[in-house]
Structure formats: structure tokens, C-alpha cells
């Protein structure tokens, strides 16, 4: 809605000439970008590949020097870089993480409000990961009132994103639902995997005829399922001592025998 209002307002005040042509060209470019981002959602539902395509598309459309998207983890009180495009050296990489509230990105992730800086000099909470950043536009990606992610663009030129706030906020609104769906898909996949493991483990346990053999099958299953070097099953006695009842792997666990739980 903000994007449409801004576009309609600019068109209502157009006058014939080069300014009008430029405004129409910009509107066409913005609409093409939004269409391309909408199409990305149908190509990959995995979070990082999807966000990387969006970041690459923003760079392709506008040539911005630095574009990133971070996810926000409110439980751990941190944000993590999920996708990145940078034409200049930067400290940031996929997996880069900081506490919420730290830097402009952390502040937006914490507050849920856009920060638009034509000149970053004098900003107390600014962290220069490009070593020469002059302007930054940072927008929250919110779904049902919760900040899921943050879109961040930076440049070594001042006022590089002047007038682009409405566009980036529209992009953020567009991808909020996409991110929510990707996270739900990932969680459903994780739960399905856990149910599968539980089912396979139960089947393996039921195929043997004694408690000792059941523990051995469980140890072997866990070792193989998670590609472990060793899996041991110990039973605690009433006095807290441990007795090895099953083992899968060659590593010697005798040093743990007789130890009490701590």
C-alpha cells in the first residue's frame, strides 16, 4: 500500500518531459522487481536459497553495492545473516551473527522500525562492516506483528538509497509471508524426520527377542542413523553407578563404568 501510494502520488504530479519519463521508467522497474520476487517464491521454499535469490534480484535491479537479509531469533536474542551480495570487501558473511540491538541491523530487528540514513556519520549505534559505508537503508520484515527478518542495503556513497524506502518496505511486506511459509515448511520437515526416526527405532526394537538385544539394536540404529563413531547405552543403578548394557562402535568406554551421574 505504501508503494502504491508513493507511485500514485508521483504520477499525479507529473508534468510532460524527461522527469515524467524517468518516473514511468522507475515505476516499471519497481513493478518488474516485485513480479520477479513473487516468482522466486514458486522456485524454492528452502529459506536460504529463497532469500539469496531475492538479494541477488535486488542487486541486479538496482546495482546496490551491499545487500543482505538476516533472520531474527527472538529466543536467542540474535540475528543471523541468511543471504548476502557485496561488491566490496565486508566483514559480513552468511552465518554472521550479532545480538539484537547491536548496530543498525540489530536495532531494526529489535524495534521493528525502518532506519533510513543518507549519511551514517554521527550515528551512535552504527557498525561499519564495509569500512567506508556512507549510507544505509534497513527495513524490518514483519509477519503478524513479529519481526522475522531484516533487509539491509549499504553503500559507500551518501544518500545512495534516497527515495527507495517505500520500495524496500514493499519488498519486505511481499516476502514476509514467504519467509513464514519457509520456516513452517522447515519445522514440518523437522517434525516429520523425528516421527520417522521414532518409527524406525520402534520397529528395530520390536524385531528382537530380549531386552539386551533390544538395547544393542537401538545403539546400532542410533550410531548408523546419525553417522556417529560410537553409541553406548548405560543403565544407572540405585547407587548412581553406570553399567554398560550395549555399544555400537570400537571406542573403549570402560573408563565410564562405575561412574556416578553428576
Amino acid at each position: 500500500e505504501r508503494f502504491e501510494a508513493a507511485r500514485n502520488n508521483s504520477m499525479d504530479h507529473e508534468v510532460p518531459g524527461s522527469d515524467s519519463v524517468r518516473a514511468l521508467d522507475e515505476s516499471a522497474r519497481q513493478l518488474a522487481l516485485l513480479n520477479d520476487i513473487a516468482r522466486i517464491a514458486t522456485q524454492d521454499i528452502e529459506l536460504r536459497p529463497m532469500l539469496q535469490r531475492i538479494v541477488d534480484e535486488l542487486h541486479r535491479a538496482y546495482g546496490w553495492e551491499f545487500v543482505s537479509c538476516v533472520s531474527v531469533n527472538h529466543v536467542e536474542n540474535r540475528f543471523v545473516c541468511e543471504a548476502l551480495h557485496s561488491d566490496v570487501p565486508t566483514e559480513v558473511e552468511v552465518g554472521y551473527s550479532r545480538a539484537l540491538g547491536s548496530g543498525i541491523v540489530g536495532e531494526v530487528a529489535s524495534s521493528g522500525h525502518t532506519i533510513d540514513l543518507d549519511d551514517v556519520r554521527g550515528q551512535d549505534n552504527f557498525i561499519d562492516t564495509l569500512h567506508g559505508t556512507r549510507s544505509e537503508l534497513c527495513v524490518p520484515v514483519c509477519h503478524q506483528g513479529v519481526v522475522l527478518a531484516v533487509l539491509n542495503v549499504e553503500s559507500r556513497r551518501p544518500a545512495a538509497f534516497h527515495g527507495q524506502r517505500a520500495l524496500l518496505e514493499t519488498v519486505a511486506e511481499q516476502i514476509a509471508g514467504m519467509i513464514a511459509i519457509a520456516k513452517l515448511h522447515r519445522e514440518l520437515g523437522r517434525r516429520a524426520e523425528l516421527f520417522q526416526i521414532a518409527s524406525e527405532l520402534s520397529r528395530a526394537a520390536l524385531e528382537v527377542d530380549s531386552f539386551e538385544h533390544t538395547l544393542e539394536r537401538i545403539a546400532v540404529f542410533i550410531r548408523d542413523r546419525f553417522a556417529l563413531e560410537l553409541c553406548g547405552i548405560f543403565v544407572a543403578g540405585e547407587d548412581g553407578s553406570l553399567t554398560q548394557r550395549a555399544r555400537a562402535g570400537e571406542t573403549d568406554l570402560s573408563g565410564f563404568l562405575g561412574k556416578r551421574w553428576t
Side-chain angles (χ1 to χ4, degrees), residues 70 77-79 96-111 115 124-127 129 136 138:
V70 307
N77 200 42
R78 300 189 68 82
F79 67 84
Y96 176 89
S97 177
R98 284 207 314 267
L100 299 188
S102 171
I104 300 301
V105 174
E107 185 175 339
V108 171
S110 180
S111 70
I115 295 180
D124 293 337
N125 203 22
F126 173 72
I127 297 176
T129 59
E136 182 172 11
C138 198

Side-chain angles (χ1 to χ4, degrees), residues 210-244:
S210 70
F211 180 64
E212 295 295 333
H213 288 160
T214 296
L215 293 182
E216 290 174 4
R217 287 292 298 272
I218 291 173
V220 170
F221 175 85
I222 293 174
R223 181 200 62 186
D224 295 344
R225 183 63 176 77
F226 295 101
L228 304 175
E229 293 184 8
L230 174 69
C231 176
I233 298 178
F234 293 78
V235 176
E238 293 183 358
D239 62 353
S241 63
L242 297 173
T243 303
Q244 179 178 285

